[in-house]
């Protein structure tokens, strides 16, 4: 796996890098390593300003992803190792690194005043010592244009954001909680995969009350999908097809007047009894009592859901009585 780090000055990137090395055995590499080698070859002093200037020139001459291309070629020579990459400072560098299926980007940030205090405390020779000077450098690196550093834009591309306004131990715990080193960051588990498909199916719904999606699976294969909406040949819910959903009735009331089929119903109808029997249904909401009865009668063995309705006790009790497994996946 390749974990990329991008963040503001003094946010705590180095602490995360050190922790990933110490606890998980990651190898530390940096886009700045490429520039440092280039500065040495040019006989120039190794300073932050020189690194930034050389980076800008390199991006201007070779494209904004030039530095990342050089680095990625080095990593591909030993792709089975785990790396944490620091000093990612431009969106095009992210684009290059994402050509590797092993890449995952983490952004790190903290309150400005806290970051300034941390920078003062570390007492590096090239660091600004006054708040105005710190802000000036921070803004220059965050909001560059063209081939300059564009850290803010780069952070917006991150897969995860870590806010580090606490202690070092709290930051380490946050890294552990995110489980950044899990292989599921690169390839979702079957549960996560099917629930994502259910949520994607829900986006097809035009119900004015709630969007719900479902996926029927067997042996980790998709059998059918479904989402809630009015029956075939009836005007869509968002076009006024269901009077109940388009009125101001309270949630959970007048359900007998609703014309929409639920996502679970549509998935089961699509699959048919023969294919549904023994399957697992993934649904973005815990099924209502009506769908619970249908799921049981179709012979579905397991229900995996994400969100829960206010009126859920009866559904859970009936599933338990019928011996259908139920799991919540958040």
């Amino acid at each position: 796996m390749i974990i990329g780090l991008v963040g503001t000055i003094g946010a705590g990137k180095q602490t995360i890098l050190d922790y990933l090395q110490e606890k998980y055995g990651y190898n530390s590499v940096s886009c700045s390593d490429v520039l440092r080698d280039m500065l040495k070859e040019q006989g120039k002093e190794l300073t932050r300003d020189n690194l930034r200037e050389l980076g800008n020139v390199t991006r201007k001459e070779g494209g904004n992803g030039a530095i990342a291309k050089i680095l990625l070629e080095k990593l591909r020579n030993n792709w089975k190792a785990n790396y944490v990459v620091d000093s990612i400072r431009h969106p095009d560098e992210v684009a290059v690194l994402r050509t590797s299926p092993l890449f995952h980007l983490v952004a790190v940030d903290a309150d400005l005043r806290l970051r300034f205090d941390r920078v003062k405390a570390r007492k590096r020779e090239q660091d600004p010592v006054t708040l105005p000077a710190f802000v000036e450098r921070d803004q220059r690196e965050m909001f560059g244009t063209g081939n300059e550093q564009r850290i803010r834009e780069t952070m917006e591309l991150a897969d995860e954001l870590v806010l580090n306004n606490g202690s070092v131990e709290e930051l380490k715990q946050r890294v552990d909680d995110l489980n950044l080193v899990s292989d599921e960051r690169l390839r979702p588990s079957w549960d996560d995969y099917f629930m994502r498909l259910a949520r994607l199916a829900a986006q097809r719904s035009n119900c004015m009350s709630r969007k719900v999606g479902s996926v029927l699976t067997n042996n980790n294969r998709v059998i059918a999908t479904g989402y809630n909406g009015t029956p075939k040949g009836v005007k869509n819910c968002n076009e006024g097809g269901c009077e109940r959903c388009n009125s101001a009735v309270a949630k959970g009331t007048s359900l007998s007047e609703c014309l929409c089929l639920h996502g679970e119903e549509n998935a089961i109808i699509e699959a048919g009894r023969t294919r549904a029997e023994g399957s697992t249904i993934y649904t973005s909401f815990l099924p209502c009592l009506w769908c619970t009865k249908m799921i049981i009668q179709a012979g579905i063995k397991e229900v995996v859901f994400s969100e829960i309705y206010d009126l859920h006790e009866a559904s859970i009790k009936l599933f338990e009585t019928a011996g259908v497994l139920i799991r919540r996946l958040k």
Side-chain angles (χ1 to χ4, degrees), residues 31-215:
C31 288
S32 293
D33 290 341
V34 175
L35 299 176
R36 289 188 184 96
D37 292 341
M38 294 171 68
L39 280 178
K40 289 178 182 178
E41 292 175 4
Q42 295 173 10
K44 293 183 178 179
E45 185 180 0
L46 189 60
T47 66
R48 189 182 187 94
D49 288 339
N50 282 344
L51 285 170
R52 184 181 65 253
E53 183 179 345
L54 178 59
N56 292 342
V57 171
T58 303
R59 284 185 285 266
K60 183 177 181 179
E61 294 177 350
N64 291 327
I67 301 169
K69 287 179 182 178
I70 298 171
L71 179 64
L72 189 57
E73 284 305 312
K74 293 182 178 181
L75 301 188
R76 282 174 172 158
N77 291 331
N78 189 16
W79 62 269
K80 291 185 177 181
N82 291 320
Y83 297 98
V84 53
V85 181
D86 192 14
S87 300
I88 301 170
R89 302 177 184 277
H90 197 283
D92 287 0
E93 293 172 346
V94 176
V96 169
L97 292 168
R98 285 207 189 279
T99 62
S100 168
L102 307 177
F103 182 70
H104 190 83
L105 184 63
V106 178
V108 192
D109 203 359
D111 292 345
L112 187 142
R113 185 67 200 221
L114 180 57
R115 293 192 286 114
F116 173 59
D117 291 340
R118 289 172 181 164
V119 168
K120 282 201 305 181
R122 70 190 187 187
K123 296 180 179 179
R124 293 181 185 172
E125 185 177 349
Q126 302 297 326
D127 283 339
V129 295
T130 67
L131 183 58
F134 176 81
V135 171
E136 190 278 331
R137 172 179 284 182
D138 188 58
Q139 296 295 299
R140 186 171 67 243
E141 295 186 359
M142 291 283 284
F143 301 106
T145 59
N147 52 44
E148 297 175 342
Q149 294 183 19
R150 289 154 56 181
I151 292 177
R152 175 55 66 190
E153 289 180 58
T154 308
M155 292 176 67
E156 291 173 355
L157 300 174
D159 301 292
E160 299 288 349
L161 172 63
V162 175
L163 292 176
N164 178 27
N165 289 326
S167 66
V168 171
E169 290 308 313
E170 288 173 329
L171 177 58
K172 292 179 179 179
Q173 186 61 55
R174 172 69 171 149
V175 171
D176 288 338
D177 291 344
L178 285 174
N179 201 17
L180 294 174
V181 300
S182 170
D183 287 341
E184 290 185 9
R185 289 284 176 183
L186 305 175
R187 190 183 190 195
S189 66
W190 287 115
D191 273 348
D192 191 30
Y193 172 58
F194 292 133
M195 188 58 75
R196 290 186 193 184
L197 290 180
R199 290 171 179 149
L200 181 62
Q203 294 180 28
R204 284 282 304 163
S205 171
N206 52 47
C207 179
M208 296 298 291
S209 177
R210 178 184 280 114
K211 292 176 178 287
V212 179
S214 298
V215 173

